[in-house]
Amino acid sequence: MKFTKMHGAGNDYVYVDCFNHDTPADPAATAIAVSDRHKGIGADGLILIRPSEVADARMQMFNADGSEAEMCGNGVRCVAKYIYDHDICKQDSVKIETGAGTLSIDLVANDGKVEQAKVDMGEPILIADLIPTTLSGDAKMSPVVDVPLDIDGQTFDVTCVSMGNPHCVIFVDKATDELVHGIGPLIENDPRFPARVNVEFIELVSPSEVRQRTWERGSGETMACGTGASAVCVAGVLSGRTERKITNHLLGGTLILEWDETTNHVFKTGPAVEVFSGCWQEA
Ligand SMILES: N[C@H](CCC[C@H](N)C(=O)O)C(=O)O
């Protein structure tokens, strides 16, 4: 299987160009195999770049545990970069079909290669049943903002947002390993999140700057999470902690987020890097 390794702020995936190469017969099993950082290629998951009837390409994303996710914020920047750099769609603005709808991406290229991309992530989903979570705000239809979540004998105030995939955002004084690797997986698999959930631990630097560590549904801690950073931007505004435009420092790089008041859309700007290509021998 021909693949290309790419990352957005360190959130790295194995990409398969299904315009020009064979599509894995069992992408879930392939995602598990190639993601293994010792016996495989090493990645946070697998992303298929597929032809689309309604957009310039379709992104299909699988976590390292083989589960398919609706959307990948860092991944969609890399998909847009790939189709531009490899002359599949040489336009400065492209549309990518995802499980969270068809998204528009503006590309910043240098010498014919994309370095940065700005993604219109669309509108956040705040209705608890649609996130989904059984937690509820102070009224059935109100957003889940700073709602207490008791877990492992501790209580965390959580804010839940979906960007097509579910996120549980927790503002903390220090995003320690105990929180990320101890509490993260407990929340990921808690029954109050029927589809499981991605968990973001956020340190507030200022009303316009945060630091994020992420425990991802199906992949564990990642160096960055674009949909997570978008959910954090929304959670910061809803909880009165941040402005609508923030700089988010993640372990693997920096993303700029803005939740635009007029359109209600979240915009995310960040890097996209192609590292190497190769051929994977399916077992
Ligand atoms: N790393 C991705 C998020 C993957 C989310 C996935 N772990 C899920 O199951 O929702 C991002 O940059 O948005």
Side-chain angles (χ1 to χ4, degrees), residues 1-8 11-19 22-24 27-28 30-32 34-35 41 43-50 57-64 67-80 82-83 96-98 216 219:
M1 177 189 83
K2 291 252 192 306
F3 72 87
T4 299
K5 189 77 193 311
M6 304 175 80
H7 74 87
N11 187 202
D12 62 328
Y13 292 90
V14 170
Y15 291 77
V16 178
D17 169 356
C18 303
F19 284 88
D22 293 343
T23 304
T30 300
I32 295 168
V34 301
S35 299
I41 299 164
D44 291 328
L46 171 74
I47 290 183
L48 305 183
I49 304 171
R50 310 185 75 134
R58 175 160 83 92
M59 175 179 76
Q60 196 177 8
M61 183 260 180
F62 297 84
N63 290 306
S67 61
E68 184 171 357
E70 304 84 349
M71 175 49 194
C72 179
N74 288 312
V76 81
R77 292 201 313 278
C78 291
V79 168
Y82 185 92
I83 65 173
I96 308 292
E97 181 188 356
T98 77
E216 276 198 30
S219 291

CSV table of all heavy atoms in Angstrom, one decimal, residues 1-8 11-19 22-24 27-28 30-32 34-35 41 43-50 57-64 67-80 82-83 96-98 216 219:
chain,number,residue,atom,x,y,z
A,1,MET,N,0.9,-1.2,0.0
A,1,MET,CA,0.0,0.0,0.0
A,1,MET,C,0.9,1.2,0.0
A,1,MET,O,1.7,1.5,0.9
A,1,MET,CB,-0.9,0.0,1.3
A,1,MET,CG,-1.8,1.2,1.4
A,1,MET,SD,-2.5,1.3,3.0
A,1,MET,CE,-1.3,2.0,4.0
A,2,LYS,N,0.7,2.1,-1.0
A,2,LYS,CA,1.5,3.3,-1.1
A,2,LYS,C,0.9,4.3,-0.1
A,2,LYS,O,-0.3,4.4,0.0
A,2,LYS,CB,1.4,3.9,-2.5
A,2,LYS,CG,2.1,3.1,-3.6
A,2,LYS,CD,3.4,3.8,-4.0
A,2,LYS,CE,4.0,3.2,-5.3
A,2,LYS,NZ,4.3,1.8,-5.2
A,3,PHE,N,1.8,5.0,0.7
A,3,PHE,CA,1.2,6.0,1.7
A,3,PHE,C,2.1,7.2,1.7
A,3,PHE,O,3.3,7.2,1.2
A,3,PHE,CB,1.2,5.3,3.1
A,3,PHE,CG,2.5,5.1,3.7
A,3,PHE,CD1,3.2,6.1,4.4
A,3,PHE,CD2,3.2,3.9,3.5
A,3,PHE,CE1,4.4,5.9,5.0
A,3,PHE,CE2,4.5,3.7,4.1
A,3,PHE,CZ,5.1,4.7,4.8
A,4,THR,N,1.6,8.3,2.3
A,4,THR,CA,2.3,9.5,2.6
A,4,THR,C,2.1,9.8,4.0
A,4,THR,O,1.0,9.8,4.5
A,4,THR,CB,1.9,10.6,1.7
A,4,THR,OG1,2.1,10.3,0.3
A,4,THR,CG2,2.6,11.9,2.0
A,5,LYS,N,3.2,10.1,4.7
A,5,LYS,CA,3.1,10.5,6.1
A,5,LYS,C,3.1,12.0,6.2
A,5,LYS,O,3.9,12.7,5.6
A,5,LYS,CB,4.4,9.9,6.9
A,5,LYS,CG,4.3,10.1,8.4
A,5,LYS,CD,3.4,9.1,9.0
A,5,LYS,CE,3.1,9.4,10.5
A,5,LYS,NZ,4.2,9.7,11.4
A,6,MET,N,2.0,12.5,6.9
A,6,MET,CA,1.9,14.0,7.0
A,6,MET,C,1.5,14.3,8.5
A,6,MET,O,1.0,13.4,9.2
A,6,MET,CB,0.8,14.5,6.1
A,6,MET,CG,1.1,14.1,4.6
A,6,MET,SD,-0.3,14.6,3.5
A,6,MET,CE,0.2,16.4,3.3
A,7,HIS,N,1.7,15.6,8.9
A,7,HIS,CA,1.2,16.0,10.2
A,7,HIS,C,0.8,17.4,10.2
A,7,HIS,O,1.3,18.2,9.4
A,7,HIS,CB,2.3,15.7,11.3
A,7,HIS,CG,3.4,16.7,11.3
A,7,HIS,ND1,3.4,17.9,12.0
A,7,HIS,CD2,4.7,16.7,10.7
A,7,HIS,CE1,4.5,18.5,11.8
A,7,HIS,NE2,5.3,17.8,11.0
A,8,GLY,N,-0.1,17.7,11.1
A,8,GLY,CA,-0.5,19.1,11.4
A,8,GLY,C,-0.2,19.4,12.8
A,8,GLY,O,-0.8,18.7,13.7
A,11,ASN,N,0.3,16.2,14.9
A,11,ASN,CA,-0.8,15.2,14.9
A,11,ASN,C,-0.7,14.5,13.6
A,11,ASN,O,-1.0,15.0,12.5
A,11,ASN,CB,-2.1,16.0,15.0
A,11,ASN,CG,-3.4,15.1,15.2
A,11,ASN,OD1,-4.4,15.6,14.9
A,11,ASN,ND2,-3.2,13.9,15.6
A,12,ASP,N,0.0,13.3,13.7
A,12,ASP,CA,0.5,12.7,12.5
A,12,ASP,C,-0.4,11.5,12.0
A,12,ASP,O,-0.8,10.7,12.9
A,12,ASP,CB,1.9,12.2,12.7
A,12,ASP,CG,2.0,11.2,13.8
A,12,ASP,OD1,1.3,11.2,14.8
A,12,ASP,OD2,2.9,10.3,13.7
A,13,TYR,N,-0.6,11.4,10.7
A,13,TYR,CA,-1.4,10.3,10.2
A,13,TYR,C,-0.7,9.7,9.0
A,13,TYR,O,0.1,10.4,8.3
A,13,TYR,CB,-2.8,10.8,9.8
A,13,TYR,CG,-3.7,11.2,11.0
A,13,TYR,CD1,-3.6,12.5,11.4
A,13,TYR,CD2,-4.5,10.3,11.6
A,13,TYR,CE1,-4.4,12.9,12.6
A,13,TYR,CE2,-5.2,10.7,12.8
A,13,TYR,CZ,-5.2,12.0,13.2
A,13,TYR,OH,-5.9,12.3,14.3
A,14,VAL,N,-1.1,8.5,8.7
A,14,VAL,CA,-0.7,7.8,7.4
A,14,VAL,C,-1.8,8.1,6.4
A,14,VAL,O,-3.0,7.8,6.7
A,14,VAL,CB,-0.5,6.3,7.6
A,14,VAL,CG1,-0.4,5.6,6.3
A,14,VAL,CG2,0.7,6.0,8.5
A,15,TYR,N,-1.4,8.7,5.3
A,15,TYR,CA,-2.4,9.1,4.3
A,15,TYR,C,-2.3,8.2,3.1
A,15,TYR,O,-1.2,7.9,2.6
A,15,TYR,CB,-2.2,10.6,3.9
A,15,TYR,CG,-2.5,11.6,4.9
A,15,TYR,CD1,-1.6,11.8,6.0
A,15,TYR,CD2,-3.7,12.3,4.9
A,15,TYR,CE1,-1.9,12.7,7.0
A,15,TYR,CE2,-4.0,13.2,5.9
A,15,TYR,CZ,-3.1,13.4,6.9
A,15,TYR,OH,-3.4,14.3,8.0
A,16,VAL,N,-3.5,7.8,2.5
A,16,VAL,CA,-3.5,7.0,1.3
A,16,VAL,C,-4.2,7.8,0.3
A,16,VAL,O,-5.4,8.2,0.5
A,16,VAL,CB,-4.2,5.6,1.5
A,16,VAL,CG1,-4.2,4.8,0.2
A,16,VAL,CG2,-3.4,4.8,2.6
A,17,ASP,N,-3.6,8.0,-0.9
A,17,ASP,CA,-4.1,8.8,-2.0
A,17,ASP,C,-5.0,7.8,-2.8
A,17,ASP,O,-4.4,7.1,-3.7
A,17,ASP,CB,-3.0,9.3,-2.8
A,17,ASP,CG,-3.4,9.9,-4.2
A,17,ASP,OD1,-4.6,9.8,-4.5
A,17,ASP,OD2,-2.5,10.4,-4.9
A,18,CYS,N,-6.3,7.8,-2.6
A,18,CYS,CA,-7.2,6.8,-3.3
A,18,CYS,C,-7.6,7.3,-4.7
A,18,CYS,O,-8.3,6.6,-5.4
A,18,CYS,CB,-8.4,6.6,-2.4
A,18,CYS,SG,-8.0,6.0,-0.8
A,19,PHE,N,-7.1,8.5,-5.1
A,19,PHE,CA,-7.2,8.9,-6.5
A,19,PHE,C,-6.3,8.1,-7.3
A,19,PHE,O,-6.7,7.7,-8.4
A,19,PHE,CB,-6.9,10.4,-6.6
A,19,PHE,CG,-7.9,11.4,-6.1
A,19,PHE,CD1,-7.8,11.8,-4.8
A,19,PHE,CD2,-8.9,11.9,-7.0
A,19,PHE,CE1,-8.8,12.8,-4.3
A,19,PHE,CE2,-9.8,12.8,-6.5
A,19,PHE,CZ,-9.8,13.3,-5.2
A,22,ASP,N,-4.4,2.1,-4.6
A,22,ASP,CA,-5.5,1.2,-4.1
A,22,ASP,C,-5.9,1.7,-2.7
A,22,ASP,O,-5.1,2.1,-1.9
A,22,ASP,CB,-5.0,-0.2,-4.1
A,22,ASP,CG,-4.7,-0.8,-5.5
A,22,ASP,OD1,-5.3,-0.2,-6.4
A,22,ASP,OD2,-4.0,-1.8,-5.6
A,23,THR,N,-7.2,1.5,-2.5
A,23,THR,CA,-7.8,1.8,-1.2
A,23,THR,C,-7.7,0.5,-0.3
A,23,THR,O,-8.0,-0.6,-0.8
A,23,THR,CB,-9.3,2.2,-1.3
A,23,THR,OG1,-9.4,3.3,-2.2
A,23,THR,CG2,-9.9,2.5,0.0
A,24,PRO,N,-7.2,0.6,0.9
A,24,PRO,CA,-7.1,-0.6,1.8
A,24,PRO,C,-8.5,-1.3,1.9
A,24,PRO,O,-9.5,-0.6,2.0
A,24,PRO,CB,-6.7,0.0,3.1
A,24,PRO,CG,-6.1,1.3,2.9
A,24,PRO,CD,-6.8,1.9,1.6
A,27,PRO,N,-9.9,-0.8,6.1
A,27,PRO,CA,-9.2,0.4,6.6
A,27,PRO,C,-9.0,0.4,8.1
A,27,PRO,O,-8.0,0.9,8.7
A,27,PRO,CB,-10.0,1.6,6.1
A,27,PRO,CG,-11.2,1.1,5.5
A,27,PRO,CD,-11.0,-0.4,5.3
A,28,ALA,N,-10.0,-0.1,8.8
A,28,ALA,CA,-9.9,-0.2,10.3
A,28,ALA,C,-8.7,-1.0,10.7
A,28,ALA,O,-7.9,-0.6,11.6
A,28,ALA,CB,-11.2,-0.7,10.9
A,30,THR,N,-6.2,-1.8,8.9
A,30,THR,CA,-5.0,-1.1,8.4
A,30,THR,C,-4.6,0.0,9.4
A,30,THR,O,-3.4,0.2,9.7
A,30,THR,CB,-5.2,-0.6,7.0
A,30,THR,OG1,-5.5,-1.7,6.1
A,30,THR,CG2,-3.9,0.1,6.5
A,31,ALA,N,-5.6,0.7,9.8
A,31,ALA,CA,-5.3,1.9,10.8
A,31,ALA,C,-4.6,1.3,12.0
A,31,ALA,O,-3.6,1.9,12.5
A,31,ALA,CB,-6.6,2.6,11.1
A,32,ILE,N,-5.1,0.2,12.6
A,32,ILE,CA,-4.5,-0.4,13.8
A,32,ILE,C,-3.0,-0.8,13.5
A,32,ILE,O,-2.1,-0.4,14.2
A,32,ILE,CB,-5.3,-1.6,14.3
A,32,ILE,CG1,-6.7,-1.1,14.7
A,32,ILE,CG2,-4.5,-2.3,15.4
A,32,ILE,CD1,-7.7,-2.3,15.0
A,34,VAL,N,-0.8,0.2,10.9
A,34,VAL,CA,0.1,1.2,10.5
A,34,VAL,C,0.4,2.2,11.7
A,34,VAL,O,1.4,2.8,11.8
A,34,VAL,CB,-0.3,2.0,9.3
A,34,VAL,CG1,-0.5,1.0,8.1
A,34,VAL,CG2,-1.6,2.8,9.5
A,35,SER,N,-0.6,2.3,12.6
A,35,SER,CA,-0.4,3.3,13.7
A,35,SER,C,0.6,2.9,14.7
A,35,SER,O,1.2,3.7,15.4
A,35,SER,CB,-1.8,3.6,14.3
A,35,SER,OG,-2.7,4.1,13.4
A,41,ILE,N,4.1,1.8,10.9
A,41,ILE,CA,4.7,3.1,10.4
A,41,ILE,C,4.8,4.1,11.6
A,41,ILE,O,5.8,4.8,11.7
A,41,ILE,CB,3.9,3.7,9.3
A,41,ILE,CG1,3.8,2.7,8.1
A,41,ILE,CG2,4.5,5.0,8.8
A,41,ILE,CD1,2.7,3.0,7.1
A,43,ALA,N,1.8,6.3,13.8
A,43,ALA,CA,0.9,7.5,13.5
A,43,ALA,C,-0.3,7.5,14.6
A,43,ALA,O,-0.5,6.5,15.3
A,43,ALA,CB,0.3,7.3,12.1
A,44,ASP,N,-1.0,8.6,14.5
A,44,ASP,CA,-2.2,8.7,15.3
A,44,ASP,C,-3.4,8.1,14.7
A,44,ASP,O,-4.5,8.0,15.2
A,44,ASP,CB,-2.6,10.2,15.6
A,44,ASP,CG,-1.5,10.9,16.5
A,44,ASP,OD1,-1.0,10.2,17.4
A,44,ASP,OD2,-1.3,12.1,16.3
A,45,GLY,N,-3.2,7.6,13.4
A,45,GLY,CA,-4.3,6.9,12.7
A,45,GLY,C,-4.0,6.9,11.2
A,45,GLY,O,-2.9,7.2,10.7
A,46,LEU,N,-5.1,6.6,10.5
A,46,LEU,CA,-5.1,6.5,9.0
A,46,LEU,C,-6.1,7.4,8.4
A,46,LEU,O,-7.2,7.5,8.9
A,46,LEU,CB,-5.4,5.0,8.6
A,46,LEU,CG,-5.6,4.7,7.1
A,46,LEU,CD1,-4.3,4.7,6.4
A,46,LEU,CD2,-6.3,3.4,7.0
A,47,ILE,N,-5.7,8.1,7.3
A,47,ILE,CA,-6.6,9.0,6.6
A,47,ILE,C,-6.6,8.6,5.1
A,47,ILE,O,-5.6,8.6,4.5
A,47,ILE,CB,-6.3,10.5,6.8
A,47,ILE,CG1,-6.6,10.9,8.3
A,47,ILE,CG2,-7.1,11.4,5.9
A,47,ILE,CD1,-6.3,12.3,8.6
A,48,LEU,N,-7.8,8.4,4.6
A,48,LEU,CA,-8.0,8.1,3.2
A,48,LEU,C,-8.4,9.3,2.4
A,48,LEU,O,-9.3,10.0,2.9
A,48,LEU,CB,-9.0,7.0,3.0
A,48,LEU,CG,-8.8,5.7,3.7
A,48,LEU,CD1,-9.9,4.7,3.3
A,48,LEU,CD2,-7.5,5.1,3.5
A,49,ILE,N,-7.7,9.7,1.4
A,49,ILE,CA,-8.0,10.8,0.5
A,49,ILE,C,-8.7,10.3,-0.7
A,49,ILE,O,-8.1,9.6,-1.6
A,49,ILE,CB,-6.7,11.6,0.1
A,49,ILE,CG1,-5.9,12.0,1.3
A,49,ILE,CG2,-7.0,12.8,-0.8
A,49,ILE,CD1,-4.5,12.5,1.0
A,50,ARG,N,-10.0,10.5,-0.7
A,50,ARG,CA,-10.9,9.8,-1.7
A,50,ARG,C,-11.5,10.7,-2.6
A,50,ARG,O,-11.8,11.9,-2.3
A,50,ARG,CB,-12.0,9.0,-1.0
A,50,ARG,CG,-11.5,8.1,0.1
A,50,ARG,CD,-12.6,7.2,0.7
A,50,ARG,NE,-12.9,6.1,-0.2
A,50,ARG,CZ,-13.0,4.8,0.2
A,50,ARG,NH1,-12.9,4.5,1.5
A,50,ARG,NH2,-13.3,3.9,-0.7
A,57,ALA,N,-12.3,16.6,-2.8
A,57,ALA,CA,-11.9,15.3,-2.3
A,57,ALA,C,-12.7,15.0,-1.0
A,57,ALA,O,-13.4,15.9,-0.5
A,57,ALA,CB,-10.4,15.4,-1.9
A,58,ARG,N,-12.7,13.7,-0.6
A,58,ARG,CA,-13.4,13.3,0.6
A,58,ARG,C,-12.3,12.8,1.5
A,58,ARG,O,-11.4,12.0,1.1
A,58,ARG,CB,-14.4,12.2,0.3
A,58,ARG,CG,-15.1,11.6,1.5
A,58,ARG,CD,-16.4,11.0,1.2
A,58,ARG,NE,-16.3,9.6,0.8
A,58,ARG,CZ,-16.3,8.5,1.6
A,58,ARG,NH1,-16.3,8.7,2.9
A,58,ARG,NH2,-16.2,7.3,1.1
A,59,MET,N,-12.4,13.1,2.8
A,59,MET,CA,-11.5,12.6,3.9
A,59,MET,C,-12.3,11.6,4.7
A,59,MET,O,-13.4,11.8,5.2
A,59,MET,CB,-11.1,13.8,4.8
A,59,MET,CG,-10.2,13.3,5.9
A,59,MET,SD,-9.6,14.6,7.0
A,59,MET,CE,-11.1,15.0,7.9
A,60,GLN,N,-11.6,10.4,4.8
A,60,GLN,CA,-12.2,9.4,5.7
A,60,GLN,C,-11.1,9.1,6.7
A,60,GLN,O,-10.0,8.7,6.3
A,60,GLN,CB,-12.5,8.1,4.9
A,60,GLN,CG,-13.4,7.2,5.6
A,60,GLN,CD,-13.8,5.9,4.8
A,60,GLN,OE1,-13.3,5.7,3.7
A,60,GLN,NE2,-14.7,5.1,5.4
A,61,MET,N,-11.4,9.2,8.0
A,61,MET,CA,-10.4,9.2,9.1
A,61,MET,C,-10.6,8.1,10.1
A,61,MET,O,-11.8,7.8,10.5
A,61,MET,CB,-10.4,10.6,9.8
A,61,MET,CG,-9.4,10.7,10.8
A,61,MET,SD,-10.1,10.4,12.4
A,61,MET,CE,-8.7,10.7,13.5
A,62,PHE,N,-9.6,7.4,10.4
A,62,PHE,CA,-9.6,6.3,11.3
A,62,PHE,C,-8.6,6.5,12.4
A,62,PHE,O,-7.4,6.8,12.2
A,62,PHE,CB,-9.3,4.9,10.7
A,62,PHE,CG,-10.3,4.5,9.6
A,62,PHE,CD1,-10.2,5.0,8.3
A,62,PHE,CD2,-11.4,3.7,9.9
A,62,PHE,CE1,-11.2,4.7,7.3
A,62,PHE,CE2,-12.4,3.4,8.9
A,62,PHE,CZ,-12.2,3.9,7.6
A,63,ASN,N,-9.0,6.3,13.7
A,63,ASN,CA,-8.1,6.5,14.8
A,63,ASN,C,-7.2,5.3,14.9
A,63,ASN,O,-7.4,4.3,14.2
A,63,ASN,CB,-8.9,6.5,16.1
A,63,ASN,CG,-9.7,7.9,16.3
A,63,ASN,OD1,-9.1,8.9,16.1
A,63,ASN,ND2,-11.0,7.8,16.5
A,64,ALA,N,-6.2,5.4,15.8
A,64,ALA,CA,-5.2,4.3,15.9
A,64,ALA,C,-5.9,3.0,16.4
A,64,ALA,O,-5.3,1.9,16.2
A,64,ALA,CB,-4.1,4.7,16.9
A,67,SER,N,-11.2,2.8,15.1
A,67,SER,CA,-12.6,3.5,15.1
A,67,SER,C,-12.5,4.6,14.1
A,67,SER,O,-11.5,5.3,14.0
A,67,SER,CB,-12.9,4.0,16.5
A,67,SER,OG,-12.0,4.9,16.9
A,68,GLU,N,-13.7,4.8,13.4
A,68,GLU,CA,-13.8,5.9,12.4
A,68,GLU,C,-14.3,7.1,13.1
A,68,GLU,O,-15.3,7.0,13.8
A,68,GLU,CB,-14.7,5.4,11.2
A,68,GLU,CG,-14.7,6.5,10.1
A,68,GLU,CD,-15.4,6.0,8.8
A,68,GLU,OE1,-15.8,4.9,8.8
A,68,GLU,OE2,-15.5,6.9,7.9
A,69,ALA,N,-13.7,8.2,12.8
A,69,ALA,CA,-14.2,9.5,13.4
A,69,ALA,C,-14.8,10.4,12.3
A,69,ALA,O,-14.5,10.2,11.1
A,69,ALA,CB,-13.1,10.3,14.0
A,70,GLU,N,-15.7,11.2,12.7
A,70,GLU,CA,-16.5,12.1,11.8
A,70,GLU,C,-15.6,13.1,11.1
A,70,GLU,O,-15.8,13.5,10.0
A,70,GLU,CB,-17.6,12.8,12.5
A,70,GLU,CG,-18.6,11.9,13.2
A,70,GLU,CD,-18.1,11.4,14.6
A,70,GLU,OE1,-16.9,11.7,15.0
A,70,GLU,OE2,-18.9,10.8,15.4
A,71,MET,N,-14.6,13.6,11.9
A,71,MET,CA,-13.8,14.8,11.4
A,71,MET,C,-12.4,14.8,12.0
A,71,MET,O,-12.2,14.2,13.1
A,71,MET,CB,-14.7,16.0,11.8
A,71,MET,CG,-14.1,17.3,11.5
A,71,MET,SD,-13.4,17.6,9.9
A,71,MET,CE,-12.5,19.1,10.2
A,72,CYS,N,-11.5,15.4,11.4
A,72,CYS,CA,-10.1,15.6,11.9
A,72,CYS,C,-9.6,16.9,11.4
A,72,CYS,O,-9.4,17.1,10.2
A,72,CYS,CB,-9.3,14.4,11.3
A,72,CYS,SG,-7.6,14.5,11.9
A,73,GLY,N,-9.5,17.8,12.4
A,73,GLY,CA,-9.1,19.2,12.0
A,73,GLY,C,-7.7,19.3,11.4
A,73,GLY,O,-7.5,20.0,10.4
A,74,ASN,N,-6.8,18.7,12.1
A,74,ASN,CA,-5.4,18.7,11.6
A,74,ASN,C,-5.3,17.9,10.3
A,74,ASN,O,-4.6,18.3,9.3
A,74,ASN,CB,-4.4,18.2,12.6
A,74,ASN,CG,-4.2,19.1,13.8
A,74,ASN,OD1,-4.0,20.3,13.6
A,74,ASN,ND2,-4.3,18.6,15.0
A,75,GLY,N,-6.1,16.8,10.2
A,75,GLY,CA,-6.0,16.0,9.0
A,75,GLY,C,-6.6,16.7,7.8
A,75,GLY,O,-6.0,16.6,6.7
A,76,VAL,N,-7.6,17.5,8.0
A,76,VAL,CA,-8.2,18.1,6.8
A,76,VAL,C,-7.3,19.1,6.1
A,76,VAL,O,-7.3,19.3,4.9
A,76,VAL,CB,-9.6,18.7,7.1
A,76,VAL,CG1,-9.6,20.0,7.8
A,76,VAL,CG2,-10.6,18.7,5.9
A,77,ARG,N,-6.5,19.8,7.0
A,77,ARG,CA,-5.5,20.7,6.4
A,77,ARG,C,-4.5,19.9,5.6
A,77,ARG,O,-4.1,20.4,4.5
A,77,ARG,CB,-4.7,21.4,7.5
A,77,ARG,CG,-5.6,22.4,8.3
A,77,ARG,CD,-4.7,23.5,9.0
A,77,ARG,NE,-3.6,22.9,9.7
A,77,ARG,CZ,-3.7,22.4,11.0
A,77,ARG,NH1,-4.8,22.3,11.6
A,77,ARG,NH2,-2.6,21.9,11.6
A,78,CYS,N,-4.1,18.7,6.0
A,78,CYS,CA,-3.1,17.9,5.3
A,78,CYS,C,-3.7,17.4,4.0
A,78,CYS,O,-3.0,17.3,3.0
A,78,CYS,CB,-2.6,16.8,6.2
A,78,CYS,SG,-1.5,17.4,7.5
A,79,VAL,N,-5.0,17.0,4.1
A,79,VAL,CA,-5.7,16.5,2.8
A,79,VAL,C,-5.7,17.6,1.8
A,79,VAL,O,-5.4,17.4,0.6
A,79,VAL,CB,-7.1,16.0,3.2
A,79,VAL,CG1,-7.9,15.8,1.9
A,79,VAL,CG2,-7.1,14.8,4.0
A,80,ALA,N,-6.0,18.8,2.2
A,80,ALA,CA,-6.1,20.0,1.3
A,80,ALA,C,-4.7,20.2,0.7
A,80,ALA,O,-4.5,20.5,-0.5
A,80,ALA,CB,-6.6,21.2,2.0
A,82,TYR,N,-2.3,18.0,0.4
A,82,TYR,CA,-1.9,16.9,-0.5
A,82,TYR,C,-2.5,17.1,-1.9
A,82,TYR,O,-1.8,17.0,-2.9
A,82,TYR,CB,-2.4,15.6,0.1
A,82,TYR,CG,-1.9,14.4,-0.8
A,82,TYR,CD1,-0.7,13.8,-0.5
A,82,TYR,CD2,-2.6,14.0,-1.9
A,82,TYR,CE1,-0.2,12.7,-1.2
A,82,TYR,CE2,-2.1,12.9,-2.7
A,82,TYR,CZ,-0.9,12.3,-2.4
A,82,TYR,OH,-0.5,11.3,-3.1
A,83,ILE,N,-3.8,17.4,-2.0
A,83,ILE,CA,-4.4,17.5,-3.3
A,83,ILE,C,-3.9,18.7,-4.1
A,83,ILE,O,-3.9,18.7,-5.3
A,83,ILE,CB,-6.0,17.5,-3.3
A,83,ILE,CG1,-6.5,18.7,-2.6
A,83,ILE,CG2,-6.5,16.2,-2.7
A,83,ILE,CD1,-8.1,18.8,-2.7
A,96,ILE,N,-13.4,20.1,1.0
A,96,ILE,CA,-13.2,18.7,1.4
A,96,ILE,C,-14.5,18.1,2.1
A,96,ILE,O,-15.0,18.7,3.0
A,96,ILE,CB,-12.0,18.5,2.4
A,96,ILE,CG1,-10.8,19.2,1.8
A,96,ILE,CG2,-11.7,17.1,2.7
A,96,ILE,CD1,-10.1,18.6,0.6
A,97,GLU,N,-15.0,17.0,1.5
A,97,GLU,CA,-16.1,16.4,2.1
A,97,GLU,C,-15.7,15.6,3.4
A,97,GLU,O,-14.7,14.8,3.3
A,97,GLU,CB,-16.8,15.4,1.1
A,97,GLU,CG,-18.0,14.7,1.6
A,97,GLU,CD,-18.5,13.7,0.6
A,97,GLU,OE1,-17.9,13.5,-0.5
A,97,GLU,OE2,-19.4,12.9,0.9
A,98,THR,N,-16.4,15.8,4.5
A,98,THR,CA,-16.0,15.1,5.7
A,98,THR,C,-17.3,14.5,6.4
A,98,THR,O,-18.4,14.9,5.9
A,98,THR,CB,-15.3,16.0,6.7
A,98,THR,OG1,-16.3,16.8,7.4
A,98,THR,CG2,-14.3,16.9,6.1
A,216,GLU,N,-7.2,11.8,23.1
A,216,GLU,CA,-8.1,11.6,22.0
A,216,GLU,C,-8.8,10.3,22.1
A,216,GLU,O,-8.2,9.3,22.4
A,216,GLU,CB,-7.4,11.7,20.6
A,216,GLU,CG,-7.2,13.1,20.1
A,216,GLU,CD,-6.8,13.1,18.7
A,216,GLU,OE1,-7.3,12.2,17.9
A,216,GLU,OE2,-6.1,14.0,18.3
A,219,SER,N,-7.2,7.2,20.2
A,219,SER,CA,-5.8,7.4,19.9
A,219,SER,C,-4.9,7.7,21.0
A,219,SER,O,-3.6,7.7,20.9
A,219,SER,CB,-5.6,8.5,18.8
A,219,SER,OG,-6.1,8.1,17.6
